Amino acid sequence: MVFRPVTGDDVATVLDIYNHYIHTSTVTFDLDLWSEHDMAHKIDAVADLGMPFVIAERDGDVVGYAYLSTFREKAAYNTTMENTLYLRDDARGLGLGRLLLAELMRLGSESGVREVIAVIANTADAAPSIRLHENAGFVRVGEMDRVGRKFDEWVGVVMMQKSLSHD
Ligand SMILES: CC(C)(COP(=O)(O)OP(=O)(O)OC[C@H]1O[C@@H](n2cnc3c(N)ncnc32)[C@H](O)[C@@H]1OP(=O)(O)O)[C@@H](O)C(=O)NCCC(=O)NCCS
């Protein structure tokens, strides 16, 4: 797998990857499909923050993406970012998530991020994500129950945290 920064040409591909999960899964709390404009706006917002938005390619094909974005708006949170990563549905279960998350952490560290927060649905859909984050050194720091409603079910979240630097 090779990694590269996202470009404007990736919008439609990344959108397809993400919209699949909006439509089929509780791993995202979005309910309505995103438009190309929404995804382009997210890419711009991540760039404006100076944070990585990385594309994973295998044999020239985009198989996933990951980025770091604002965890909380208030300025004192500026060295803490929330992570997001999605593999194309048919690229799951091959161990690619581990490599993509490791690359995102490396880039985050280079960008001066100190703490990374993963907010993960506490559902069977997200079990691989929770496991992936545990394996990558994220520590479970909390849970919130019934904070989302999707597919006629109340959904909670697990909060996980990883420190990228200490002093
Ligand atoms: C989450 C995601 C990035 C993981 O990447 P992946 O390469 O598919 O990861 P794997 O299939 O290798 O699974 C990761 C771990 O979960 C475990 N796992 C898989 N299915 C599982 C299940 N149903 N229950 C518990 N653990 C499970 C795997 O065994 C593996 O753990 P191990 O390495 O200790 O054996 C990827 O599946 C994905 O994009 N999922 C959809 C989007 C998503 O959930 N994104 C994260 C939002 S927070």
Side-chain angles (χ1 to χ4, degrees):
M1 198 157 60
V2 295
F3 300 107
R4 62 168 175 80
V6 73
T7 75
D9 292 342
D10 296 311
V11 169
T13 312
V14 167
L15 182 66
D16 278 350
I17 293 173
Y18 186 51
N19 275 343
H20 167 78
Y21 293 106
I22 296 179
H23 186 57
T24 61
S25 162
T26 53
V27 297
T28 166
F29 276 23
D30 269 316
L31 301 177
D32 299 322
L33 298 183
W34 279 26
S35 65
E36 289 204 2
H37 177 267
D38 294 329
M39 189 55 80
H41 182 73
K42 174 57 74 178
I43 290 170
D44 288 347
V46 171
D48 288 349
L49 279 173
M51 287 297 141
F53 193 132
V54 61
I55 295 289
E57 280 187 348
R58 212 169 49 143
D59 302 329
D61 238 12
V62 174
V63 291
Y65 68 94
Y67 60 83
L68 294 173
S69 59
T70 303
F71 167 60
R72 302 268 285 168
E73 293 287 344
K74 294 189 171 86
Y77 285 111
N78 280 355
T79 51
T80 298
M81 292 288 145
E82 183 171 340
N83 74 320
T84 295
L85 79 160
Y86 285 87
L87 293 177
R88 207 173 65 192
D89 190 37
D90 63 355
R92 299 170 69 186
L94 306 173
L96 304 181
R98 181 175 61 82
L99 301 175
L100 179 56
L101 183 54
E103 176 67 1
L104 186 67
M105 295 302 96
R106 189 186 70 77
L107 293 168
S109 192
E110 270 183 14
S111 305
V113 175
R114 297 183 60 91
E115 301 295 325
V116 181
I117 309 295
V119 182
I120 307 176
N122 201 357
T123 62
D125 287 347
S129 178
I130 293 172
R131 184 59 185 268
L132 177 82
H133 284 83
E134 281 170 354
N135 289 348
F138 280 73
V139 175
R140 192 185 280 240
V141 289
E143 287 185 19
M144 295 188 291
D145 295 331
R146 299 176 299 279
V147 288
R149 187 161 178 87
K150 191 164 184 182
F151 305 144
D152 289 330
E153 305 272 357
W154 293 110
V155 186
V157 292
V158 176
M159 319 279 295
M160 302 185 78
Q161 178 171 357
K162 181 178 169 74
S163 296
L164 299 187
S165 64
H166 298 276
D167 54 33

